[in-house]
Amino acid sequence: MVLRAYMAAMDGQDPDKALELLEPDFRFLIALPGGQRAGESREDFAGYIAGRAAVDRTHEIVRSAVDGDVETVYGFVVEKGVTMGAFLSAAQISPAGLMARYQSFFTTDFDLVDRP
């Protein structure tokens, strides 16, 4: 699952490795409590990565699904052992096996499923 590999890269020591999983014309929308970020290229996403604060953060995926060329995951963002909120993310995967489109919604106010 490409989306799992992407999240693992984003959580790793070198989040720029996530760029290797994106098509050049990658489009994205990331909705956060403080606003949203969107872009229309791998370079736009590199800018998003560069602007993220470096913290001890992991995306703990508790549900996932694949339907054709669309992958979805649901889970919790954990920073330094503390659950910060929940996310629901989806990606369209290109024939080359790279993420072509991505949207993610993060909330600190609601959990769709209980955290194990």
Side-chain angles (χ1 to χ4, degrees):
M1 180 177 236
V2 179
L3 200 42
R4 282 185 182 273
Y6 157 80
M7 295 230 171
M10 290 294 287
D11 292 343
Q13 295 297 315
D14 184 7
D16 285 339
K17 289 188 181 218
L19 299 173
E20 297 170 9
L21 299 170
L22 312 179
E23 288 288 351
D25 59 347
F26 175 69
R27 295 186 335 206
F28 67 95
L29 170 74
I30 300 171
L32 305 167
Q36 61 184 31
R37 293 286 308 263
E40 297 186 0
S41 68
R42 184 187 299 148
E43 289 75 26
D44 288 347
F45 196 75
Y48 167 73
I49 291 174
R52 292 175 77 216
V55 296
D56 178 11
R57 176 185 302 124
T58 57
H59 294 79
E60 294 185 3
I61 297 170
V62 297
R63 300 283 195 281
S64 62
V66 177
D67 183 7
D69 63 348
V70 174
E71 300 179 355
T72 59
V73 294
Y74 179 84
F76 300 93
V77 173
V78 178
E79 292 182 6
K80 298 182 180 177
V82 176
T83 301
M84 305 305 292
F87 66 89
L88 178 60
S89 301
Q92 181 187 38
I93 308 303
S94 72
L98 300 174
M99 291 172 50
R101 297 180 191 167
Y102 174 70
Q103 74 182 91
S104 185
F105 298 92
F106 174 73
T107 179
T108 58
D109 299 323
F110 181 79
D111 296 343
L112 183 65
V113 299
D114 292 334
R115 184 163 188 238

